[in-house]
Amino acid sequence: MDTLTIAIIIISLVLGLAIGFGIAKYLERKNASKIIQRAKKSAAGILKEAKQEAEGIKKDKILQAKEKFIELKSEHEKVILSRDKKIADAEKRVRDKESQVSSELSKSKNLNKELEEKIADYDHRNEILERKQEEVDKLHNSKVQQLEVISGLSAEDAKAQLIESLKDTAKADAMAMVQDTIEEAKLTAQQEAKKIIINTIQRIGTEEAIDNCVSVFNLESDDVKGRIIGREGRNIRAIEAATGVEIIVDDTPEAIILSCFDSVRREVARLSLHKLVTDGRIHPARIEEVVKKTTKQIEEEIIEVGKRTVIDLGIHGLHPELIRIVGRMKYRSSYGQNLLQHSREVAKLCGVMAAELGLNPKLAKRAGLLHDIGKVPDAETEVPHAILGMQWAEKYGEKPDVCNAIGAHHDEIEMNSLLSPIVQVCDAISGARPGARRQVLDSYIQRLKDLEDIAFGFGGVKKAYAIQAGRELRVIVESEKVSDDKAANLSFEISQKIQTDMTYPGQVKVTVIRETRAVNIAK
């Protein structure tokens, strides 16, 4: 290829490039103008929308500002109206006060005027009275001088004679008045005393206290009865021997009966049976263990009952041993009346009656609560219960008035305190009301106690229980001291002693039980 051709080709390429570049620039300018036009249109639309939105926001803000202005204006008007009303009320009150003050001033002026007139009138009358008093004094002196001349006595002598005659007259009148007062007191004293007693009884109204000799132990099913009885009756015999309570198992559904005149034994037996039935293990060794634990529990309960009683009655500083004795009253009865309830009742009666008579009600309550503590001991003593209770009270540091009230409430000793007749009367009120006591029950319990005491009078007797309503006396002896032959003789001797010393209905069966135990411990 020659040089010319190459040059032509190069020139052609350069021209092509130049033409292409020009065409490209033209197209670029054309596209740029279109884009600019579209951008201008879009900007104009955005500006229009912005102006419209700004106008809407402006209108909303103007409306909100107008509403806020109207709201503030109404609140301001309310405040102004309220202030105007308060100011009007204050102005009205001021006007009323001014009118009232003016009327009071006018009244005061009138009163001052009347007072001045009355003062002037009083001064005038006072002057007239002074002149008249002077005239009366002159006349009195002249009359006294005339009387002295006529009677031959001076004024002082006449005055002394007059005073002496008045003294005699006053003494006679006073003696007559005292006599009338004494007669009236004699007529009304008994009536007033009855009124105090009636008011006291009315304020201390309690239920009738009747103590029973049997307890019913409920069972979940009759199947438990067989477990309580045990093989050949060994369990029931062990329970009766450990507690001294007769257990009656009959056809009564889901129940057995515990019979004993001593409520402490009966409660021990009831709680022990409950623990044994709940636990399920019923055999002689377990029975003895549970009875011992229950006996200890009852002793703790007795102390708790004593503490609650003295707290309820507001009695403080009582000796712990006296508190325990008060707790044991819960399980004692007197003529069928629960001893604790009777003592609480007497304490309340004494407190009310002492307050009515102006005495110390706390001391009276103390004497009323402790008046029958001599009935608590299990063993019978020859000392009357009032004297025994007084001895205990003295031993445990009670005041002499309380001790005398305890010892004298059945007239065993002389009364030397005002509390003593109050305790005696309140004891009679509590015991003598209808239904409070049952003489038959008390004599029955006494007969059972006498049966047990006869058995304890023989040597070698460990325990003695009167059961079967007194128709059987069960005696447990110490195997080391009483042999089998002696046990038979002992049964005969006890029965003969009962025949000669006691009066009782029917027959009394004496059963002597001798049990030998061999105990060793494996270590």
Side-chain angles (χ1 to χ4, degrees):
M1 185 176 294
D2 56 2
T3 306
L4 181 61
T5 305
I6 294 168
I8 293 169
I9 291 170
I10 292 170
I11 292 169
S12 298
L13 288 172
V14 170
L15 288 175
L17 289 170
I19 293 168
F21 180 76
I23 293 169
K25 284 288 184 181
Y26 175 75
L27 292 175
E28 184 179 355
R29 287 179 182 177
K30 190 176 181 179
N31 289 332
S33 63
K34 288 182 181 180
I35 290 169
I36 290 168
Q37 288 178 359
R38 286 199 298 269
K40 287 181 178 180
K41 288 181 181 179
S42 177
I46 290 170
L47 288 173
K48 186 176 180 181
E49 289 178 358
K51 287 180 180 180
Q52 290 177 355
E53 187 174 355
E55 288 294 330
I57 293 170
K58 182 179 179 182
K59 290 180 181 179
D60 291 339
K61 292 295 182 181
I62 291 170
L63 288 174
Q64 289 178 2
K66 288 181 179 180
E67 290 176 355
K68 188 68 176 178
F69 175 75
I70 292 169
E71 183 179 352
L72 293 173
K73 183 179 179 183
S74 62
E75 290 180 358
H76 183 66
E77 289 176 352
K78 287 180 182 179
V79 172
I80 292 172
L81 288 174
S82 175
R83 290 180 180 176
D84 292 341
K85 186 177 179 181
K86 289 181 180 178
I87 292 169
D89 292 339
E91 290 177 351
K92 183 179 179 182
R93 287 196 296 272
V94 170
R95 287 195 297 271
D96 293 340
K97 290 289 183 182
E98 289 177 353
S99 62
Q100 185 176 359
V101 168
S102 61
S103 64
E104 292 291 335
L105 286 173
S106 62
K107 288 181 182 179
S108 178
K109 289 179 180 179
N110 294 331
L111 289 173
N112 288 333
K113 186 177 180 181
E114 292 177 359
L115 183 61
E116 290 174 356
E117 292 176 354
K118 288 182 179 180
I119 290 171
D121 184 56
Y122 171 75
D123 293 338
H124 178 67
R125 290 185 178 184
N126 195 20
E127 291 176 0
I128 295 172
L129 287 173
E130 287 178 356
R131 288 196 297 270
K132 288 185 176 180
Q133 185 65 36
E134 291 176 358
E135 294 175 359
V136 168
D137 291 340
K138 291 179 181 179
L139 290 172
H140 177 70
N141 293 330
S142 64
K143 293 293 182 183
V144 169
Q145 291 174 1
Q146 291 177 5
L147 288 171
E148 288 178 355
V149 172
I150 292 169
S151 62
L153 294 172
S154 65
E156 295 296 330
D157 295 336
K159 188 185 294 184
Q161 289 183 5
L162 179 61
I163 291 171
E164 193 65 31
S165 64
L166 289 174
K167 281 183 179 179
D168 294 337
T169 305
K171 284 181 180 179
D173 293 342
M175 289 298 292
M177 186 179 295
V178 169
Q179 191 65 29
D180 293 340
T181 304
I182 292 173
E183 293 296 331
E184 185 179 356
K186 288 180 180 179
L187 292 173
T188 59
Q190 189 174 5
Q191 183 178 358
E192 290 297 323
K194 289 180 179 179
K195 187 184 295 184
I196 290 174
I197 292 174
I198 291 171
N199 289 336
T200 305
I201 295 172
Q202 185 180 10
R203 291 168 64 180
I204 309 294
T206 58
E207 299 177 355
E208 296 179 0
I210 301 299
D211 201 14
N212 295 320
C213 289
V214 296
S215 297
V216 178
F217 182 73
N218 296 315
L219 303 172
E220 294 182 358
S221 65
D222 288 336
D223 297 337
V224 184
K225 289 184 180 180
R227 294 165 56 197
I228 292 174
I229 295 171
R231 183 180 299 173
E232 298 178 357
R234 64 173 188 170
N235 289 344
I236 200 168
R237 285 198 303 272
I239 295 171
E240 290 180 345
T243 61
V245 175
E246 181 185 0
I247 300 177
I248 303 171
V249 181
D250 54 14
D251 295 335
T252 306
E254 298 181 358
I256 60 176
I257 298 173
L258 310 178
S259 176
C260 181
F261 69 92
D262 191 336
S263 54
V264 176
R265 290 189 211 161
R266 201 165 63 246
E267 185 67 10
V268 169
R270 188 186 68 81
L271 293 176
S272 300
L273 272 176
H274 177 71
K275 291 179 181 178
L276 289 168
V277 171
T278 304
D279 184 44
R281 295 178 294 164
I282 306 176
H283 51 81
R286 175 66 176 164
I287 288 169
E288 291 181 0
E289 178 187 352
V290 170
V291 169
K292 287 181 181 178
K293 289 182 179 179
T294 306
T295 305
K296 184 178 179 181
Q297 178 184 343
I298 289 293
E299 287 297 326
E300 294 174 355
E301 183 182 346
I302 284 170
I303 296 173
E304 186 64 27
V305 168
K307 290 180 180 179
R308 286 202 305 268
T309 301
V310 297
I311 290 172
D312 291 344
L313 294 174
I315 296 172
H316 305 286
L318 205 63
H319 194 277
E321 185 63 25
L322 290 179
I323 292 176
R324 190 185 68 82
I325 293 171
V326 169
R328 288 190 69 84
M329 288 182 181
K330 179 181 177 182
Y331 300 102
R332 291 290 182 270
S333 62
S334 175
Y335 298 98
Q337 186 179 24
N338 183 269
L339 192 58
L340 179 60
Q341 187 170 346
H342 165 67
S343 299
R344 286 173 64 102
E345 186 176 334
V346 172
K348 291 179 181 179
L349 286 167
C350 289
V352 176
M353 195 172 291
E356 292 287 342
L357 296 174
L359 301 176
N360 188 342
K362 291 187 177 180
L363 208 60
K365 280 185 180 180
R366 201 181 191 97
L369 178 64
L370 300 177
H371 81 284
D372 267 348
I373 58 175
K375 293 182 177 180
V376 172
D378 296 326
E380 292 295 327
T381 60
E382 295 181 359
V383 181
H385 75 273
I387 302 299
L388 181 60
M390 181 184 70
Q391 293 172 355
W392 281 359
E394 291 174 347
K395 177 181 177 182
Y396 297 119
E398 290 299 315
K399 294 183 178 180
D401 290 348
V402 175
C403 297
N404 181 257
I406 295 171
H409 77 277
H410 283 312
D411 294 322
E412 276 87 2
I413 62 173
E414 183 181 355
M415 296 183 182
N416 55 21
S417 168
L418 291 176
L419 293 179
S420 301
I422 291 177
V423 172
Q424 187 181 51
V425 169
C426 293
D427 180 43
I429 291 170
S430 175
R433 59 188 176 84
R437 293 185 171 183
R438 291 189 297 182
Q439 185 72 31
V440 176
L441 178 61
D442 189 72
S443 61
Y444 159 72
I445 292 175
Q446 187 61 43
R447 178 164 58 84
L448 298 185
K449 287 183 177 179
D450 291 342
L451 279 174
E452 293 182 355
D453 292 339
I454 287 175
F456 281 117
F458 291 86
V461 176
K462 183 179 179 181
K463 296 179 182 178
Y465 301 126
I467 60 176
Q468 294 287 344
R471 293 189 296 273
E472 181 180 351
L473 179 63
R474 186 165 294 177
V475 182
I476 301 173
V477 297
E478 299 178 12
S479 59
E480 297 84 2
K481 297 181 180 180
V482 180
S483 63
D484 290 339
D485 295 333
K486 287 184 179 180
N489 293 331
L490 182 63
S491 175
F492 176 75
E493 291 174 2
I494 292 174
S495 64
Q496 293 301 311
K497 182 74 171 175
I498 293 171
Q499 287 181 13
T500 56
D501 292 356
M502 291 188 63
T503 302
Y504 52 90
Q507 298 176 347
V508 178
K509 178 183 177 182
V510 179
T511 303
V512 176
I513 300 173
R514 179 180 180 273
E515 185 180 44
T516 303
R517 293 189 183 186
V519 179
N520 287 290
I521 300 173
K523 297 182 180 180

